[in-house]
Amino acid sequence: MTWVRLCRPVRSLQRCSSSSAADGSQPVLNPMNIQLLSKPLSEKIFGPAADAEEDAEAVKRCQKELKQHGLWEVAPSLAPEIAFPLPRLRGKDIAEHFESIAGEQVQPYRRLLSRILEGNVPAVPSHWVFQEGWTKYHSDGVVERLKFPDDPVLSFDVEVCMKDGKVPTLATAVSPHAWYSWCSSRLISPHVRVGDEEYIHPHLLISMQESQEPSLIIGHNVSFDRAYISTEYSLRRGGCRFLDTMSLHIAICGLTGYQQALFAASKGTSSKSRGKKEENAAQKHFRGPPSNLWMDVASMNNLKDAYQLHVGGAALEKESRDVFVKGTLDDVRKEFQGLMSYCAQDARASLLLLRALWPEFLERFPSTVTLAGMLEMGSMYLPINRNWNRYLEAAEETYSDMQTELKRLLGRQAQDACSLLHDESYKEDVWLWNLDWTIQDLKVKKTISKRKPSEKIEELREKRNPLSNLLKESSCSEVQAEEELAKKSMVASHFPHLLASRDSLHKRRPFLPGYPAWYRNLCSKENGNGLEPDLLSTSMQLVPRLLRLTWDGHPLHFDPEHGWGYLVPSCVSSSHDSPSTDPMFPYQQLHVPEAHEEQKSGEEGIEMIWEKLLKGDVGEDPADMERLWAGVRLLNQQLHVPEAHEEQKSGEEGIEMIWEKLLKGDVGEDPADMERLWAGVRLLNQKLAEKHEKRKKGRKGKVEEHQEENKKKESGIDIGLPGCLFRPLPHKDGPGKRVGNPLSKDFQSKWEDGTLSTAAGKSAEQALRHETSHMLTYWRNARDRILDQIAVWWLPEDIPHHINGHTLIEPSATYGAILPQVAVCGTVTRRAVEATWLTASNASSLRLGSELKAMIQAPPGFHFVGADVDAQIWILCNQELWIAALIGDAHQGRMHGCTPFGWMTLQGKKSTGTDLHSQTALAIDISRDQAKVLNYARIYGAGMSFAQQLLRQFNHRLTPDDARAKATTIYTKTKGVRKYKLNGEGKRLANEAGLSYSDEPWSRSQVNQLLRLHSSNKSLEEVVEEGRVWVAGTESAMFTELEAIAHSDEPRTPVLKARITRALEPLYVDHDFLTSRVNWVVQSSAVDYLHLLLVAMNHLFTSYGIQGRFAISIHDEVRYLVASEHRYRAALALQVANLWTRAMFAFKLNIPNLPQSVGFFSSVEVDQVLRKDCRDDCRTPSNPHGLHRGFGIPPGEWDL
């Protein structure tokens, strides 16, 4: 059976497999009892290496470690073997195969790149032709009009007048032979209205040649330019690809978010702080001091800064950009020549930037798979139909209705609060006591003046013909006018004395007399009678008070210095003297709630103790008093705050010279030169520390003050209110941060578990549900990004014939597409970045508008085919977790599952409590979902301080000491204990001291003992090897290897050998930013995984004639848009591509086999819409009927 014949419709991968029952074969297990691929598949991928035997000593060592962690006795999970014919590899092994197929895919584009990189850059035209469409400017001065550029490779830039809508205004392009300009019809012909049109059609965009022949467009953030090219919205993908110079720059020398903040801060202060030294170093771009060296080899991502770093010369002029942002088309016409030259400047700068970046990119990213994956990522495509506009209208309408309802509920709370004016009841309200309750009285005339004759005549006219007068004054119908007159007549007959009293009022009357000032501030005079608080919104500080919010039963209070917190009873009188004119806080009204059932035993009943103290209910038994004061001492426990790091000093003599030597390259090839250089830097820093010892003592005093401040915040702060203390609400970023709004999404979980509640009744609870359940929050935050999407709609003549003639097409249907504006390498880890689609959440019944992804719907005759990379067959294994575990396994014993972490990743089960998250939850008594968050944070490099902060977010009642104990427990169990390996100097000292030395790592205390015995002045760094060794933890092997990669001279990913950004290389940061570097190893390897998968799919689609294209990758989901008749073949291709990709990782890490559990997706889904689970009906507040009833879209096929 050939592989092509195998690619027929199948319902399950196992149906084309060979089970153990069929041929009598037994499942293949490695020494760790991990089931591997069947022998036929393994030999097909790994060749003879698949039969290699493991090292016996390594097997014993690894089995012993599994026993120590209670994992070895667990019975292995076995599944039927899978075996089917695979496509033949291109090369002797899987690595050669990927390089071969990736080389085929990028070869034509590499040739085009060579053409534009080696050719000349034509001179910019001195005069631009003002005409619609494309104009070509030959190097000999000839100008001609074209339908589209006739060069296959271009550096391209588009400018958009923002006030003219979502259509391009003008564009320029340059090739090795000529310049091109493009002008929109709207710019040339003022009478053409584009911004007012309901839909954007392809003829309003920039035309390019639609062909299957390879072509290449280069630009800085080129996905923005791609969104304005008409041919890119065609359903059938052409041969055009896009190369982004911004992504190249970020991959080579991008900055982390923290580095960007430091870079921006230094940019504004560096010139003042360095004085004349800056002038001498300006030509060399020297910054100094040591920790800032990375700033000399990196920059921000914008074209201006990247061009200045890599190309140099005169800075790019960017002031003209304001015309497109703030100006109109008339402004563009007036400055046409200058703006076209500005656009051409950017196109030329992008080309020169590419020439500077390209050689280094090839050196730092040697695999052709990286380039092929980037080109594929730049071709994302999302089809839409008229349901897109229906979704926008429904979301907007529902949002408006819910906003109105929320305002009504809040308005009712405000109006009810006004009743507290009677008998000054507000003075006894712990939420509203200090609002401005002053009122304005309604004044009346002492004497009533006679009305003027003209007023009498007007009144007479109204009496003679009231209906006609009312119709003239209002837009109501005659029936409505008659009803209004009837109401007025009834009021006049019943209350004549009240109507007559209007003559006693002044012409200018106070606004809302009798209402308190705080309520008047919520009402606008323009809003009818002005009685409704229409200015009220949940962002106001007043709202939590009106809702009478409580935290564990304690009333919330806002303090200008500390933000939002809650008030607890106190027996200590206030240390603040409040003026007698100020309103007094009604501390007598504070109610002490019962202790929460989840409180720890040491905290139980403390509030009751305080209440007992306040009431004086103390018995005569001395033991009662002792227990009482024990509670007091517990409440006033100090927080432990670690000593702050010494602030690094700049401008010290000698340091600049060392770093200047580094920048000049005056370093010999001998590695010892670099070591001596770094040793000099460390010595200088040590001297600086000694020199500023007095300043350190002063800073230590400040740290103690900070500790005392945190202590007060933990037990309660005296803010001047008698009878109570103030405790700040816990902030997600840790203690010391002010909470600005307790109704924000960060407190959603606290509302759900009852910690955050209301004492104001059902209407307040309804308002809280609207606001804190994310119903409004999601759409409020995402609305602008979603509405700003450029949706391009095909005209009837543009609809492809295979859609137009399809039986499922509706006569009045409209079809179109959206192109996500993706930076294919948007972060230093080379993760793709896009503001809307790549961060889109799944549909939720509690989030308005969250059915966003499901509005991407395949046109008739097409389906989406995709899978969740994390969902492997028989296990749910996160992609990054598996990569990290594989790195640890390869380091420990070159066997899958030979470390506890690797074993739990591959073999652990949630049902038996042997998976990673269940083990963590059990160890420190937290929920499994909380353990999952903590595990990912730790594996991505977070330290114990972050873990403590996270644990206190999970349980705000956890004391700092308890959080520290839990974090220490889990880090010791997982990461292990830090040790060191002696270097050559350390071994020499050990021999001289008579200490026995082995290759086993030494603890910190052992190394210190060695230095004491030798009476040496050497530091720890001088006697141990670079990096640390972690031992005795379930993840020790993984962290040891990850840190070894991060500390290496040139950190690279283990599979495709992608190199870390210059801004994080040890040469420029020494030991700094270690967390970012460790995180980079895992995250950047995950990008390698995605690139491998995309390259494999492209190869299979091309080789076997599968009609389809890459649609999008969201989080760990991959989706392809495939012709319906090819959807099952595409599903099987996706399984094969995943198998190849996983095998490539194992092969490159020297493990020549693969666990069957990670070799295949648990399911490949075929669906008509874009959604994570094809069985999800996507019911939301804006789509209450779901997809099936509301849109007629049935569930997809999920068991493929």
Side-chain angles (χ1 to χ4, degrees), residues 464-479:
R464 287 179 177 176
N465 198 355
L467 183 61
S468 61
N469 290 328
L470 187 60
L471 289 172
K472 290 179 181 179
E473 293 173 0
S474 63
S475 59
C476 60
S477 65
E478 186 172 346
V479 175

Side-chain angles (χ1 to χ4, degrees), residues 437-455:
W437 288 89
T438 58
I439 63 174
Q440 292 180 333
D441 293 327
L442 185 63
K443 297 180 181 180
V444 297
K445 299 176 183 178
K446 292 182 179 179
T447 59
I448 303 175
S449 60
K450 295 181 179 181
R451 286 187 289 175
K452 298 177 182 179
S454 59
E455 294 178 348

Side-chain angles (χ1 to χ4, degrees), residues 277 286 288-289 650-661:
K277 291 184 179 181
F286 170 64
S650 59
E652 301 294 339
E653 291 185 358
I655 294 182
E656 287 86 349
M657 296 179 63
I658 291 177
W659 293 105
E660 191 170 3
K661 187 175 181 182

Side-chain angles (χ1 to χ4, degrees), residues 463-700:
K463 289 182 178 179
R464 287 179 177 176
N465 198 355
L467 183 61
S468 61
N469 290 328
L470 187 60
L471 289 172
K472 290 179 181 179
E473 293 173 0
S474 63
S475 59
C476 60
S477 65
E478 186 172 346
V479 175
Q480 291 174 328
E482 290 177 351
E483 292 177 354
E484 186 67 22
L485 283 176
K487 290 180 181 178
K488 286 185 176 182
S489 300
M490 183 183 67
V491 172
S493 62
H494 285 79
F495 307 100
H497 59 286
L498 288 179
L499 295 177
S501 66
R502 68 178 180 179
D503 293 335
S504 302
L505 300 178
H506 291 279
K507 194 169 186 179
R508 289 190 176 182
R509 304 163 192 168
F511 180 58
L512 294 181
Y515 283 88
W518 64 263
Y519 186 86
R520 295 197 302 270
N521 293 333
L522 301 177
C523 304
S524 60
K525 296 180 181 179
E526 295 79 10
N527 181 27
N529 56 18
L531 291 177
E532 294 296 328
D534 55 308
L535 302 179
L536 192 59
S537 72
T538 54
S539 61
M540 291 181 171
Q541 289 179 3
L542 175 65
V543 171
R545 298 183 180 200
L546 291 176
L547 295 176
R548 288 174 166 73
L549 294 188
T550 61
W551 184 269
D552 279 343
H554 298 290
L556 259 60
H557 180 80
F558 179 80
D559 181 74
E561 181 181 354
H562 304 290
W564 279 101
Y566 58 98
L567 302 174
V568 295
S570 170
C571 63
V572 183
S573 60
S574 172
S575 61
H576 298 263
D577 294 329
S578 301
S580 58
T581 56
D582 288 352
M584 283 293 293
F585 174 69
Y587 63 91
Q588 301 90 344
Q589 303 301 319
L590 277 182
H591 296 287
V592 181
E594 295 182 5
H596 197 282
E597 61 181 7
E598 292 183 6
Q599 283 182 306
K600 300 300 175 184
S601 58
E603 296 177 344
E604 284 183 1
I606 291 179
E607 288 83 357
M608 301 303 294
I609 292 174
W610 283 110
E611 186 180 30
K612 201 171 184 181
L613 277 173
L614 286 170
K615 292 180 177 179
D617 297 339
V618 182
E620 296 180 359
D621 187 357
D624 289 344
M625 284 301 299
E626 179 56 34
R627 282 193 293 271
L628 239 48
W629 286 110
V632 173
R633 287 191 293 271
L634 182 60
L635 262 180
N636 293 327
Q637 268 188 330
Q638 292 189 11
L639 285 175
H640 173 74
V641 180
E643 188 172 319
H645 292 293
E646 179 189 2
E647 182 182 352
Q648 195 171 10
K649 301 298 176 183
S650 59
E652 301 294 339
E653 291 185 358
I655 294 182
E656 287 86 349
M657 296 179 63
I658 291 177
W659 293 105
E660 191 170 3
K661 187 175 181 182
L662 273 174
L663 285 171
K664 286 181 176 177
D666 297 342
V667 182
E669 296 182 358
D670 188 355
D673 290 344
M674 281 301 302
E675 181 57 35
R676 283 192 294 272
L677 213 52
W678 282 109
V681 172
R682 287 191 287 270
L683 181 61
L684 281 172
N685 286 334
Q686 183 179 352
K687 290 182 178 179
L688 284 177
E690 296 171 357
K691 182 177 179 179
H692 299 290
E693 186 65 28
K694 293 182 179 179
R695 295 183 183 179
K696 283 182 65 177
K697 291 181 179 179
R699 282 191 295 274
K700 188 175 181 181

